[in-house]
Amino acid sequence: MADNAKAGDDRPSSVIQPLRGSNQSGLRAYNQRLVLSLVYSHGNLAKTDIARLTGLSAQTGSVIMRELEAEDLIVKGEPIRGKVGQPSVPLSINPDGAFFIGLKVGRRSAELILINFLGEPRATLRKSYPWPTPPLIIEFVRDGIAGMLAELPAALRDRVAGLGIATPFELWNWTEQAGAPREEMDQWRGCDLRAELARICAMPVYLQNDATAACAAELVFGTHPGLSDFLYLYIGTFVGGGVVLNGSVHSGRTGNAGALGPLPVTGPEGNPVQLLDRASIMLLERMLKSAGRDPSPLWNSPDHWEGFEELADEWIGIVARGLAQAIVSAVSIIDFEHVIIDGGLPTEVRAKIVAATQAEVGLYDLRGLEVPGILPGTVGHLARSLGAASLPLFDKYLIDRNARLGSA
């Protein structure tokens, strides 16, 4: 793939609408991305479907599909017979056609993931820590990528197309909330993590805000069908979010659109506080420490929280009240069809948060507002690392009609 276009398309076919191709040879790379995007969205398509959706001539379409097949990016399925004329041969994405690595840098843990062309994890590594520093993250990535590449068959290693990074912006500004020493977190000032990792990686490196990357993962790899406009909320160490409009992630002027953590909400004494103080796992950590309980399972076992159910239920109520206020404020500005709530937490905890938030939203005076559907996310604690891995996928192979999520 020769150009730098990028996509924010989704698996459900309603997200990628028919896009028009060009029969001019100079736009061949664009047409290749167009075909890949359509096949990626629909799962598989016959040549006749591709011609109908793109408007490409039969000759141009055949040439492009032969090129993509020669590059091992698409594969032919079994012919479908029983109709008039030649049997239809479905084309689908080759899972081993390309691979992508994603890095999530969190305030309590880092995660490295290797995915195939369909977004299926091939390897994951996780490291917990009291707080992150640049040397710690660089060493984790260097050793982790070397191990992941060693596990790939030799013939596939040159198909790893890039490393995406999902990280909170301005990590040094959250020293007090993270309980980290100021001098440790100040190492992030002036640290260009993308440049540092590019020096040790023989591949393009991309960077995006962690919550926006998680939003992209839900859009691309999530299983809610046909969602094209939604507000996304991710509950991690702190809460963050993202915005999807017209089937693409809207990252905003600085890449921080939907970063709802600083949004003012009502605190315990009726005073305004930031949402991140009311709807973050950090709050539950503090509650556990105050009760003399070990908070490490929150970070070491994001799929299994056991032994502190009563405190977790109390925390869920606090989270729901904060999220409800944020949602009502957000839909007063943009009439989102849906709100998706996800996070680095167990499935049953997420379900309780969704139900409690729905109930809290119902307590507001909603005259003049269309209440959005509130849904659980479908990607879970891997959302940020998967979103990071999707950055090179978008940039190298697919088409986004709206905006880039990150750049090499």
Side-chain angles (χ1 to χ4, degrees), residues 112-145:
L112 202 62
I113 190 168
L114 173 69
I115 64 172
N116 65 14
F117 209 169
L118 294 178
E120 299 164 338
R122 290 288 297 262
T124 57
L125 291 172
R126 184 179 178 84
K127 183 176 183 64
S128 297
Y129 39 67
W131 54 80
T133 63
L136 184 153
I137 296 300
I138 291 168
E139 180 183 6
F140 173 64
V141 172
R142 179 191 294 113
D143 295 344
I145 289 181

Side-chain angles (χ1 to χ4, degrees), residues 43-305:
N44 61 74
L45 285 174
K47 290 182 180 180
T48 53
D49 295 323
I50 293 173
R52 173 175 54 82
L53 291 169
T54 63
L56 294 170
S57 69
Q59 179 181 4
T60 299
S62 294
V63 169
I64 288 171
M65 285 176 269
R66 283 197 300 270
E67 291 172 342
L68 294 175
E69 191 175 0
E71 294 180 41
D72 289 324
L73 297 176
I74 61 174
V75 292
K76 291 180 179 178
E78 292 296 323
I80 300 175
R81 304 181 185 278
K83 297 181 180 180
V84 177
Q86 294 294 321
S88 174
V89 179
L91 301 170
S92 59
I93 296 294
N94 176 13
D96 290 341
F99 296 87
F100 313 91
I101 297 176
L103 167 67
K104 180 268 292 187
V105 179
R107 296 172 179 86
R108 286 291 187 263
S109 66
E111 200 165 58
L112 202 62
I113 190 168
L114 173 69
I115 64 172
N116 65 14
F117 209 169
L118 294 178
E120 299 164 338
R122 290 288 297 262
T124 57
L125 291 172
R126 184 179 178 84
K127 183 176 183 64
S128 297
Y129 39 67
W131 54 80
T133 63
L136 184 153
I137 296 300
I138 291 168
E139 180 183 6
F140 173 64
V141 172
R142 179 191 294 113
D143 295 344
I145 289 181
M148 287 178 169
L149 294 181
E151 292 295 320
L152 266 184
L156 300 180
R157 290 172 193 166
D158 62 354
R159 298 187 185 183
V160 179
L163 165 68
I165 306 166
T167 180
F169 289 166
E170 299 184 357
L171 271 166
W172 61 88
N173 279 334
W174 308 104
T175 299
E176 181 180 346
Q177 291 88 341
R182 168 66 64 182
E183 61 273 14
E184 292 279 285
M185 296 301 285
D186 273 351
Q187 294 181 51
W188 290 104
R189 291 183 185 271
C191 174
D192 186 339
L193 185 60
R194 181 168 62 188
E196 293 291 338
L197 294 182
R199 292 189 183 99
I200 65 171
C201 299
M203 62 185 74
V205 180
Y206 304 75
L207 180 72
Q208 180 55 276
N209 173 268
D210 61 335
T212 305
C215 181
E218 180 66 43
L219 176 66
V220 179
F221 304 121
T223 57
H224 286 303
L227 301 189
S228 59
D229 294 274
F230 59 85
L231 176 68
Y232 178 83
L233 292 160
Y234 188 90
I235 303 169
T237 306
F238 298 130
V239 68
V243 173
V244 170
L245 298 174
N246 300 320
S248 289
V249 174
H250 177 73
S251 55
R253 179 176 57 86
T254 63
N256 250 359
L260 297 177
L263 187 74
V265 297
T266 303
E269 305 299 327
N271 298 319
V273 298
Q274 292 190 332
L275 179 63
L276 60 86
D277 291 320
R278 306 298 288 163
S280 299
I281 298 177
M282 180 66 71
L283 174 61
L284 181 54
E285 180 186 70
R286 292 172 183 158
M287 293 168 65
L288 288 169
K289 287 181 177 178
S290 295
R293 310 291 292 275
D294 177 17
S296 62
L298 299 177
W299 318 114
N300 298 332
S301 307
D303 288 327
H304 303 285
W305 291 357

Side-chain angles (χ1 to χ4, degrees), residues 300-314:
N300 298 332
S301 307
D303 288 327
H304 303 285
W305 291 357
E306 296 177 351
F308 48 86
E309 286 77 9
E310 288 186 7
L311 277 176
D313 285 342
E314 180 184 347

